[in-house]
Amino acid sequence: MKFPNLSFVLTSSIIGYSSIDSCLSISAFAIIRKNYYCLTKKPQFTVLNKQLLLVVENLKEFSHEFAEHWYYNPTPLLKSGGLWPIRSGHNLAKPNYKMGPRLITYFSIHFILEGEGVFKQNNTETVINKGDLFCLFPNQTHYYSTNPNNKLKMFWLAFDGKQAIPLLNRIGLTQYSSCLHNILNDQIVTTVKELSDYFKDTDEPDDLLLISMMYKLFHQLYQQSNRLNLSSYSASDWLQKGEDYMDMHFAENITVTDVAKYIDINRSHFTTAYTKKTGMTPSKYIYKLRMEKAIELITDDSHTITEIALTLGYSDLYSFSRAFKKYYGISPNQYKKTSK
């Protein structure tokens, strides 16, 4: 049997070529694996044999790819938080590689380490290349395939949790814009490899270490997204950020100026935009939050009216009582009596 590309692959492996599959077809991997013991008798193939054995023997062969899959059962600690891994893996595509059309019930980011292909989700089709990533969103029909002449090599990380969408949005991904081009740099690829090695080499992963690695990856993606201006941060994003700030800190005597400063938007512009979107000024929204919380605390019947006033950021009982009566048409003490 002849191996016309072996000298090229051997040279590439010696000089540290990024991936053997860039030099050798997937079908040739199977041939070389089958003839491995024959080849090892020839000294000139020593380096080649070691690299091919590493790449091929660790991957299971499927009809459309060579791949390795890792599955993770989230611990109670991780599931009580905002993000947890579900599965991961990496592959070397065969010329006939394609997935879908299908749906999944979680999120999955695919990092394109080599090759070229096509990705389609929500009726939007895009060409994917080395350095890109795409994200599969839950319950969205998707499809992706390889260019048979430039086969895909990917790593993927599937995850879920209430922080999944905010994290994806922060790096510029939404279900209608689910692909980022040229975002992978050496730092991100190194972290991807660290995650891959950790899944592969650890039978019982440390949940705290694993989640810290995932947050590290998202942080690096966010930094690179900002550098490349890929973030989808729009008016609706900073308006939501402002509202989130009010939801969190309404009881700390904040003002609209404080909110505008936090989101780095002019106060008047923020007030106009927020009022247009919600039909309520930011100051009235803060007022509303305080009064709703006041009702909750009064109904609880374990706090004095003075304690409630100070808890909600009012300087004294009088200012709170006046604000409460203006909002509800009744004083806090009267409401407390009628709620019993």
Side-chain angles (χ1 to χ4, degrees):
M1 181 174 289
K2 296 181 180 179
F3 296 93
N5 290 325
L6 285 182
S7 60
F8 176 59
V9 180
L10 178 58
T11 303
S12 301
S13 65
I14 292 172
I15 64 174
Y17 200 87
S18 61
S19 66
I20 292 177
D21 61 308
S22 299
C23 315
L24 191 64
S25 70
I26 297 299
S27 58
F29 274 115
I31 295 170
I32 290 175
R33 180 170 57 179
K34 182 178 180 181
N35 293 277
Y36 174 73
Y37 293 106
C38 176
L39 286 171
T40 54
K41 296 176 183 178
K42 300 183 180 183
Q44 66 266 37
F45 294 127
T46 301
V47 176
L48 173 64
N49 289 333
K50 288 180 179 178
Q51 290 206 23
L52 285 176
L53 192 63
L54 265 175
V55 173
V56 179
E57 292 298 323
N58 288 333
L59 301 180
K60 183 178 179 181
E61 184 174 358
F62 298 89
S63 61
H64 60 296
E65 66 178 338
F66 293 90
E68 192 171 13
H69 303 267
W70 307 291
Y71 300 91
Y72 185 73
N73 186 27
T75 64
L77 174 65
L78 290 187
K79 295 209 73 171
S80 68
L83 186 71
W84 57 84
I86 294 175
R87 63 190 297 265
S88 184
H90 64 144
N91 78 337
L92 296 168
K94 290 184 177 182
N96 64 331
Y97 179 79
K98 66 177 182 178
M99 297 297 288
R102 64 173 192 170
L103 300 88
I104 59 175
T105 58
Y106 43 80
F107 302 87
S108 184
I109 296 182
H110 291 237
F111 301 83
I112 314 301
L113 304 178
E114 297 285 348
E116 178 186 331
V118 172
F119 167 61
K120 183 177 182 180
Q121 187 168 244
N122 279 318
N123 297 316
T124 300
E125 183 174 302
T126 183
V127 174
I128 48 176
N129 290 282
K130 176 181 177 180
D132 298 346
L133 66 78
F134 63 87
C135 183
L136 308 179
F137 279 74
N139 305 312
Q140 301 296 317
T141 301
H142 62 261
Y143 167 90
Y144 51 97
S145 63
T146 191
N147 178 338
N149 298 315
N150 189 10
K151 294 173 288 296
L152 289 170
K153 175 181 178 182
M154 297 187 293
F155 170 82
W156 59 87
L157 176 64
F159 53 92
D160 207 349
K162 61 185 179 182
Q163 288 183 342
I165 289 180
L167 284 168
L168 292 170
N169 291 167
R170 178 167 289 197
I171 65 175
L173 289 169
T174 70
Q175 68 179 70
Y176 298 104
S177 180
S178 50
C179 183
L180 297 178
H181 298 287
N182 300 311
I183 191 171
L184 303 188
N185 57 21
D186 291 343
Q187 186 183 45
I188 293 169
V189 171
T190 297
T191 302
V192 164
K193 186 177 185 306
E194 288 173 355
L195 267 169
S196 175
D197 290 344
Y198 188 69
F199 273 111
K200 179 170 60 178
D201 299 334
T202 310
D203 293 330
E204 295 184 10
D206 181 321
D207 51 4
L208 292 177
L209 178 58
L210 185 54
I211 198 64
S212 70
M213 293 171 73
M214 290 179 64
Y215 280 123
K216 175 184 175 181
L217 178 60
F218 272 105
H219 175 63
Q220 291 171 344
L221 289 168
Y222 174 62
Q223 287 182 312
Q224 181 70 344
S225 178
N226 276 347
R227 279 193 287 266
L228 300 176
N229 294 316
L230 298 176
S231 176
S232 60
Y233 197 63
S234 63
S236 60
D237 294 318
W238 55 255
L239 284 172
Q240 185 60 54
K241 187 177 180 182
E243 186 168 297
D244 290 344
Y245 184 83
M246 291 186 284
D247 288 341
M248 179 62 67
H249 301 288
F250 68 87
E252 298 170 29
N253 200 28
I254 61 169
T255 65
V256 177
T257 300
D258 296 326
V259 182
K261 184 178 180 181
Y262 173 72
I263 61 176
D264 197 24
I265 296 292
N266 176 271
R267 182 188 184 281
S268 297
H269 181 49
F270 169 63
T271 298
T272 300
Y274 187 84
T275 304
K276 183 177 180 180
K277 179 187 177 183
T278 67
M280 181 184 300
T281 65
S283 59
K284 285 186 178 180
Y285 183 67
I286 295 171
Y287 185 21
K288 171 178 173 286
L289 291 172
R290 286 175 174 168
M291 293 300 102
E292 289 176 347
K293 188 64 176 178
I295 291 292
E296 180 185 328
L297 293 173
I298 292 172
T299 304
D300 182 66
D301 201 30
S302 58
H303 310 282
T304 67
I305 301 300
T306 300
E307 287 174 342
I308 294 171
L310 298 177
T311 298
L312 294 176
Y314 289 93
S315 58
D316 52 52
L317 174 61
Y318 174 73
S319 57
F320 167 67
S321 297
R322 185 175 58 180
F324 188 95
K325 188 170 184 177
K326 181 179 179 182
Y327 193 86
Y328 289 110
I330 189 174
S331 73
N333 280 317
Q334 288 174 316
Y335 181 84
K336 190 171 185 177
K337 291 176 182 178
T338 58
S339 64
K340 290 183 178 180

